[in-house]
Amino acid sequence: MRIATWNVNSIRARSESVVAWAENAGVDVLAMQETKCHDDAFPLMSFLAAGYDVAHVGQGAYNGVAIASRVGLDEVEIAFDGVPTQLVDGQPIREARAISARCAGIRVWSLYIPNGRTPDDPHYTYKLAWLDALSSHIALRMAHDPAAETMLAGDWNVAQTDDDVWDREYFEGRTHVTAPERAAIQAFLDGGLVDSALPYAPGYTFWDYTQLRFPRNEGMRIDYALCSPALDTRVIGAQVDRDARKAKGASDHAPVVFDLAD
C-alpha cells in the first residue's frame, strides 16, 4: 500500500498533474493540503475518473484539505474536538485545516498547520494553540485504542531540527524553527507517534518560488507524517519526490510518499 502527502498549492490549477502523478506513482491514498477552493469547486471528476474517491473541506482561496483514496474512504471526520477558531473580520471561523478518513483500516489525516506568520503575530499564538489542541485530541484517541493504525500526514509548517532548514541563521527570529513550535511537535513524539519518513527521506520538502531556492536546494523539511506505533511497524520506505517539484507550474512543495507492508 502506498500513501502520500502533498501540499498542492491550489488543486484547481493543478488537478490534472496531481491526478496523473498519483496514478503514475501508484498512490493508493493521497492527503492534500492548500486546495484553495470551496467544496463545490473541487475538481472531483478528475479524481473519480482515475478511480479515487475524495473527501474535501475547503475555504475559498485559502487553506483547504482533502483525501483521495482508491482503497476505501469511510468514517470521514472534518476538524477535531477542541479545534481553535480564527478571528476573521471579527468573527470566529473554524478554518479548513484538518480532515480524516478510514482508508483500508488506517485512519489517515490530512493536516495543514497554521503558518504562524511571525513570532509576534496573533497567528503564531493561534498556531501553537492549534497544535496543542490536536495533540490532546490524538492522545485521547490513542489512549482509547493503542493498537489503532493512524497517520497524521500533511504540511506541519515546523522544521523540527536545524538540519531541516537550509540555513539556520537565515531563519533566526522567524517562525517554523522557534523553540515553542518545535516543542509542540515534540509533544506528539513524546506521546508515542513516530516521524516515519525520517529514516528513509530526511531531505527538504518545500522550496520557496523566489531567489532560485529550488535549484540551490535552499529548502525546508516541513511536510511529513507522524504515525502511531502500530502503523509505523508497517512503513518499509519513504521518499520525497523532487521530480514532482521540478515540473512546470508545480507546487512549491514536493510530495512525500510512504510504502506500507501488507
Side-chain angles (χ1 to χ4, degrees), residues 128-168:
L128 296 178
W130 204 97
L131 283 166
D132 182 65
L134 177 62
S135 178
S136 296
H137 177 78
I138 296 301
L140 285 174
R141 295 183 77 141
M142 288 185 64
H144 177 72
D145 187 3
E149 294 185 331
T150 304
M151 175 180 281
L152 279 68
D155 176 357
W156 290 83
N157 269 320
V158 179
Q160 296 179 46
T161 72
D162 289 352
D163 290 337
D164 295 326
V165 294
W166 64 275
D167 185 344
R168 181 60 180 87

Side-chain angles (χ1 to χ4, degrees), residues 87-110:
L87 285 179
V88 177
D89 297 328
Q91 299 296 318
I93 301 296
R94 188 180 74 177
E95 294 186 311
R97 293 184 176 275
I99 192 169
S100 72
R102 191 171 297 281
C103 307
I106 301 170
R107 170 63 61 177
V108 177
W109 290 74
S110 181

Side-chain angles (χ1 to χ4, degrees), residues 3-107:
I3 303 178
T5 181
W6 195 1
N7 179 321
V8 296
N9 193 9
S10 181
I11 191 60
R12 287 186 298 173
R14 300 183 171 89
S15 61
E16 291 186 5
S17 59
V18 169
V19 171
W21 174 85
E23 286 188 291
N24 292 336
V27 172
D28 298 300
V29 182
L30 175 61
M32 292 170 278
Q33 302 85 42
E34 270 202 287
T35 56
K36 295 184 177 179
C37 66
H38 289 295
D39 291 345
D40 57 4
F42 188 92
L44 180 62
M45 293 308 300
S46 297
F47 286 87
L48 294 178
Y52 293 94
D53 292 323
V54 177
H56 175 257
V57 57
Q59 194 180 340
Y62 302 95
N63 307 321
V65 284
I67 299 172
S69 172
R70 61 182 184 183
V71 293
L73 192 67
D74 304 308
E75 301 173 28
V76 175
E77 298 178 11
I78 295 172
F80 51 89
D81 293 341
V83 62
T85 57
Q86 172 77 337
L87 285 179
V88 177
D89 297 328
Q91 299 296 318
I93 301 296
R94 188 180 74 177
E95 294 186 311
R97 293 184 176 275
I99 192 169
S100 72
R102 191 171 297 281
C103 307
I106 301 170
R107 170 63 61 177

